[in-house]
Amino acid sequence: MHLDHPVTMPHRHTYSAEPLRADGSPRAFRVGLGGPVGSGKTACVAALCRTLRDRLSLAVVTNDIYTREDAEFLLREAVLPPERITAVETGACPHTAIRDDISANLEAVEHFDETLDPLDLVLVESGGDNLTATFSKGLVDVQIFVIDVSSGDDIPRKGGPGITTADLLVVNKTDLAPYVGADLATMAADAERQRGDLPVVFTSLTSDDGIREIADWITGHLARWRAKAAA
Amino acid sequence: MSSGSRLAEPGTPPDPTVPATATATNTAAGTDASCGHPDGVHATARIRATYNGRVTTLPQLRSDGPFHLRRIRTGGRGATVGIIGAMSAPLGGDRLALDITAEDRAELEVTTAAATLALRGPTTAPATYDVRLTAGEHACLRWLPQQLISAAGSNLRQTCTVSLAATSRLLLREEQILGRADEEPGHLVSRIRVHRAGRLLLDQHTAYGDPAPGWDGPSVLDGHRAVGQLLVVDPELDADRAPVLLREGIKDGCAVLAPLAGGPALFATAVAPSSSALRELLDQALGHALGE
Amino acid sequence: MSRAALLLLADGRFPAGGYAHSGGVEAAVAHNAVHDIHSLEAFCRGRLHTTGLTTAGLAAAAAAGCDPLLLDDAADARTPVPALRAVARKLGRQMMRAARATFPSAELDRLAAERPQGAHQPIVQGVAARAAGLTPRDAACAAAYEAVGGPATAAVRLLSLDPLAASWLLARLSTEADAVAANAAGAAARVETEGPDALPSASSPLLDITAEQHAAWTVRLFAS
């Protein structure tokens, strides 16, 4: 430390995990969505936007491996106006961007906090990755890990930080289970063994209302987080 | 080659009376004052343009050394001066300077009749070539020299120091050709610095040719031998615009035209395999800058 | 002063966003101008002596206590293309966030307040170095090393180069990086008497041009 500065407990300057912004106003609730390539993260984000956009002020940060592809999908689908969707480059390191060096993602979410007022919820979608990616608690308030039945029903058994620690595990594409020979009961049992009391949702995002349970889970967390921040 | 044999044209002998003080200000422009050489030519040519309420006049047109100045009749409000090379210069050890001023409301264009060729001189000491451009309020100054060619074995330190008033307009184009056809270039170090209304607008330093480290690599020139800049400063310019990219690849040359931070100014950087390709890129950039 | 603080500041793992930037190597790879370890070395050497020298000078001057706002103007004048100015300020904000959490200081706070959109990254890095009790030479060294470390790491990812070869390359350039840092720190020491004009303004035409080309791509791995 520089001798000119008395060494005191440093005042927090990152504000990343705190519910208030630097100026004291509340920031948006942040939800991370991770999971392997092709499991349906972007579909999940799109469905959440369609379901929640009439009730909440929303924004999305995508962390595509190649920047913009997911952001452009969301723009094409017109789930949100363009100023509510942004892409963060990850330099071929999607893990790093959401876990080890979250500065670019924090820039993006704080930009939304500053430019969109009021803002209730920011969804941060990670780049498609393997089973080890998790979000830093400095970046998001809760995280959802999305897998699907067609990649093998042994994925919950294999575990990994995403499966075991995510606040919500979503098992997508249940409608395909009969075609790919996936045993949903085994998946549920394995997930419970890995996750204890943490919730698991089995769904098919292509079906009507396939997103409802996930949307309800998010709004429930948002309400509790706000109540806690206000206390 | 002795300095005496370098008198290519009669009538404009180097002025031996140019005192060292004429170039002493070079240190302010980043030139090492110690790089002159007793055998080298020391010369400072000066152009001063004023506006008499009707047209631009040239109260000072002082040829010196290799710089033979000639007013070119163009008609109209402005004045045009051509610089004719009166000897082969710069050679190693030379200390050359051009001092060009367009005073308030004057409109001045200065060109060179032929490319400037930097050659190896009687000494391996660097030559210096300092161009100082000054434009007053509502003045318009255009500095459009032909290419500077850095021939094998030459060693030149070039500076271009520009001082603009808040309301003056500038068009500047510089082109550097590294080596005559198929030869290794000499050592060419350049610094351009532009102040506008007392604030720094642009500061760029380049070093090409051995022994400059890394100059020919993929992050600097990638084998290109022609490099140039174009600067347009104009208070009426709409400088708040997206960059213009000229050519997508890099093999056949490429350029970008973009606003400077301290604007109203557009600046183009171009690299090309040849002088003609470079000129083409800079002409295109100028067309974009002027909205053509 | 703490040697370990310098290692922390210069560490690629310092969470200041550098991992997502290739220093121009992504564009050079796309143009096939960088395709193997030798062309990467030439790229890094050129970048070290241009951008690297200039950023090292700015970092050293900031670490020496020169007015960071004056230096920020000097950095703008040394960065003629908007894409690189935007990148420098974005990385400056990210560096500011990490630096204020790591080396809290009133000078960092003041700069953050005066440049809410971010100061140029090497200036933030220099003020951070000062907050950590490091010397201008240290700050220059961190900036010079970063000028080559970033592209080398990015090229390993883009070209699947042998990371051992990339480390060898960085070791080969380390003497030159030290010399650049010494040169930059020497220039920074003259700012007090000569003003920011004393600082290097070494530039590279292709890094400027290709940075704008890269910024216009719709598909890319790196932010710059």
Side-chain angles (χ1 to χ4, degrees):
Chain A
M1 287 302 126
H2 198 278
L3 294 177
D4 290 348
H5 308 305
V7 179
T8 53
M9 254 324 274
H11 177 58
R12 276 294 300 255
H13 289 295
T14 58
Y15 304 111
S16 50
E18 286 152 34
L20 297 182
R21 291 162 55 195
D23 64 1
S25 61
R27 64 160 172 83
F29 188 60
R30 298 169 188 162
V31 177
L33 290 107
V37 178
S39 62
K41 292 183 299 299
T42 307
C44 191
V45 167
L48 284 170
C49 290
R50 289 192 197 97
T51 305
L52 296 173
R53 66 189 172 195
D54 297 331
R55 285 185 272 160
L56 298 173
S57 172
L58 282 174
V60 174
V61 181
T62 67
N63 282 245
D64 210 337
I65 296 196
Y66 278 107
T67 179
R68 293 179 204 281
E69 195 144 332
D70 285 345
E72 266 163 24
F73 171 81
L74 296 172
L75 286 170
R76 249 192 338 270
E77 296 287 299
V79 295
L80 288 178
E83 69 273 14
R84 289 173 179 268
I85 301 171
T86 193
V88 164
E89 291 93 346
T90 62
C93 291
H95 281 129
T96 307
I98 60 166
R99 189 181 61 199
D100 309 291
D101 183 347
I102 56 177
S103 55
N105 272 301
L106 283 174
E107 285 283 310
V109 294
E110 286 176 5
H111 177 73
F112 283 142
D113 275 322
E114 284 160 21
T115 56
L116 304 171
D117 191 33
L119 182 65
D120 301 304
L121 177 65
V122 180
L123 304 174
V124 183
E125 182 193 344
S126 81
D129 208 300
N130 54 32
L131 300 176
T132 62
T134 51
F135 284 85
S136 163
K137 291 188 172 71
L139 176 61
V140 299
D141 298 296
V142 292
Q143 49 191 305
I144 299 172
F145 201 74
V146 183
I147 60 173
D148 74 290
V149 302
S150 63
S151 306
D153 59 6
D154 57 345
I155 287 185
R157 181 174 55 74
K158 287 180 180 164
I163 302 278
T164 56
T165 67
D167 299 291
L168 177 68
L169 178 67
V170 173
V171 183
N172 186 21
K173 307 185 191 176
T174 49
D175 54 320
L176 298 181
Y179 307 103
V180 297
D183 183 344
L184 296 180
T186 303
M187 291 182 87
D190 287 341
E192 194 184 332
R193 194 158 40 247
Q194 294 281 3
R195 294 172 54 78
D197 291 338
L198 289 170
V200 183
V201 168
F202 284 80
T203 188
S204 168
L205 288 168
T206 53
S207 69
D208 290 348
D209 223 23
I211 195 65
R212 192 180 47 81
E213 211 178 333
I214 302 167
D216 289 349
W217 182 87
I218 288 176
T219 52
H221 268 277
L222 169 59
R224 284 196 292 280
W225 177 79
R226 277 195 176 150
K228 206 168 132 193
Chain B
M1 187 186 281
S2 78
S3 85
S5 68
R6 289 163 54 201
L7 285 172
E9 288 183 26
T12 319
D15 186 348
T17 63
V18 172
T21 51
T23 48
T25 51
N26 290 352
T27 48
T31 301
D32 184 356
S34 66
C35 53
H37 187 274
D39 294 339
V41 176
H42 292 204
T44 299
R46 297 177 197 278
I47 303 168
R48 189 163 61 87
T50 58
Y51 181 64
N52 67 8
R54 202 171 49 83
V55 291
T56 301
T57 60
L58 298 170
Q60 188 175 41
L61 199 60
R62 182 178 185 276
S63 299
D64 191 15
F67 303 118
H68 180 66
L69 308 181
R70 183 172 292 170
R71 177 160 190 174
I72 300 167
R73 298 288 161 192
T74 52
R77 184 183 175 281
T80 300
V81 175
I83 301 176
I84 297 158
M87 64 170 76
S88 181
L91 307 193
D94 288 357
R95 293 169 76 177
L96 309 178
L98 271 174
D99 218 331
I100 301 171
T101 301
E103 295 189 347
D104 292 358
R105 297 187 184 277
E107 199 177 296
L108 175 65
E109 174 167 323
V110 183
T111 61
T112 60
T116 301
L117 184 62
L119 290 165
R120 188 194 157 89
T123 157
T124 54
T128 67
Y129 181 17
D130 299 302
V131 176
R132 292 183 288 274
L133 305 173
T134 307
E137 297 292 348
H138 301 286
C140 176
L141 178 57
R142 288 188 290 272
W143 169 238
L144 299 167
Q146 298 293 328
Q147 299 92 342
L148 174 78
I149 302 169
S150 171
S154 69
N155 184 0
L156 178 63
R157 297 182 188 180
Q158 183 193 27
T159 67
C160 182
T161 309
V162 185
S163 176
L164 303 174
T167 54
S168 49
R169 287 181 290 154
L170 174 78
L171 171 60
L172 175 152
R173 183 191 62 215
E174 298 228 308
E175 296 163 304
Q176 302 177 325
I177 310 303
L178 304 174
R180 289 171 297 181
D182 298 324
E183 69 174 13
E184 282 305 302
H187 185 46
L188 177 58
V189 177
S190 307
R191 188 166 191 177
I192 178 168
R193 221 168 331 172
V194 182
H195 283 85
R196 179 175 172 272
R199 280 180 55 115
L200 183 63
L201 178 66
L202 176 71
D203 189 341
Q204 271 201 320
H205 184 270
T206 54
Y208 304 129
D210 293 337
W215 67 275
D216 201 21
S219 55
V220 184
L221 288 181
D222 198 33
H224 287 301
R225 288 293 178 268
V227 54
Q229 298 95 35
L230 181 88
L231 174 63
V232 182
V233 184
D234 185 344
E236 283 167 34
L237 189 71
D238 176 20
D240 185 20
R241 54 170 112 172
V244 178
L245 290 166
L246 301 172
R247 303 209 189 128
E248 286 298 310
I250 57 173
K251 283 280 167 284
D252 301 323
C254 51
V256 64
L257 173 79
L260 293 176
L266 292 170
F267 185 66
T269 302
V271 297
S274 68
S275 58
S276 56
L278 177 71
R279 178 63 64 87
E280 202 176 298
L281 283 166
L282 291 175
D283 283 349
Q284 279 180 44
L286 180 61
H288 283 285
L290 301 179
E292 283 160 7
Chain C
M1 89 171 189
S2 160
R3 282 284 121 189
L6 173 58
L7 298 178
L8 177 57
L9 191 64
D11 191 341
R13 289 168 297 187
F14 191 64
Y19 72 94
H21 294 260
S22 79
V25 105
E26 186 172 30
V29 166
H31 291 311
N32 203 32
V34 169
H35 48 82
D36 60 10
I37 201 74
H38 301 292
S39 48
L40 176 62
E41 182 177 356
F43 180 96
C44 289
R45 177 170 285 111
R47 190 165 195 268
L48 172 65
H49 291 280
T50 54
T51 306
L53 175 61
T54 302
T55 55
L58 291 165
C66 300
D67 178 357
L69 300 184
L70 268 182
L71 295 175
D72 204 44
D73 291 345
D76 261 348
R78 285 160 171 75
T79 317
V81 294
L84 290 178
R85 290 196 294 272
V87 163
R89 293 196 183 282
K90 189 175 172 192
L91 282 172
R93 285 199 304 273
Q94 293 175 247
M95 173 66 76
M96 179 61 84
R97 182 193 299 277
R100 288 172 86 187
T102 314
F103 308 112
S105 94
E107 288 180 0
L108 282 169
D109 292 350
R110 201 176 314 129
L111 180 56
E114 281 163 337
R115 285 283 184 275
Q117 295 310 306
H120 281 251
Q121 191 254 17
I123 296 161
V124 182
Q125 190 178 34
V127 177
R130 184 174 168 80
L134 298 170
T135 66
R137 175 83 177 263
D138 291 334
C141 205
Y145 174 70
E146 191 176 281
V148 290
T153 308
V156 166
R157 295 184 212 153
L158 288 164
L159 293 167
S160 304
L161 295 178
D162 181 350
L164 302 177
S167 289
W168 164 84
L169 179 164
L170 290 174
R172 268 169 63 96
L173 286 173
S174 62
T175 310
E176 277 176 69
D178 283 348
V180 163
N183 188 353
R190 296 196 302 273
V191 171
E192 203 182 336
T193 51
E194 296 173 28
D197 279 2
L199 293 174
S201 58
S203 70
S204 143
L206 271 177
L207 286 178
D208 287 342
I209 298 167
T210 60
E212 284 296 342
Q213 292 178 342
H214 183 267
W217 294 4
T218 52
V219 173
R220 56 176 184 251
L221 282 168
F222 289 85
S224 74

